[in-house]
Amino acid sequence: LLARIGRAAGLPPVVVVSEETGVRPLGPAPGHFILLDPVDGSNNLRPWFTPCPALAVSVAIGSLDLLAKYGDERALLVTANRDIFG
């Protein structure tokens, strides 16, 4: 399904990495990766009172070449994080 959506949107080949889906290459010879965490921080919610639950949607896009070179956050080109409750 993700590959079909990517092709329909005309996106270049990428590797999608998510806790929910694992590592999924979309297309041949991807040059970039997308990190998705649709419910980042869900472990912060408990059955007892939580004064300020932290739930967010997080996404980052990076270069596979830079990831191979540095192996850390310097490979990231764009990041975004949005509070679900805010």
Side-chain angles (χ1 to χ4, degrees):
L1 177 63
L2 285 175
R4 227 177 316 139
I5 293 169
R7 282 192 305 274
L11 298 176
V14 296
V15 175
V16 175
V17 181
S18 171
E19 203 175 329
E20 290 73 23
T21 63
V23 178
R24 299 262 176 124
L26 303 181
H32 292 84
F33 62 91
I34 300 174
L35 301 176
L36 296 173
D37 197 347
V39 188
D40 190 11
S42 57
N43 286 334
N44 295 328
L45 287 182
R46 305 285 185 254
W48 55 84
F49 176 71
T50 303
C52 184
L55 287 174
V57 174
S58 300
V59 63
I61 299 172
S63 162
L64 288 172
D65 288 339
L66 293 176
L67 185 62
K69 181 177 180 178
Y70 297 118
D72 60 21
E73 71 277 359
R74 290 176 285 180
L76 298 176
L77 305 173
V78 176
T79 63
N81 183 281
R82 180 75 176 163
D83 182 9
I84 291 174
F85 296 125

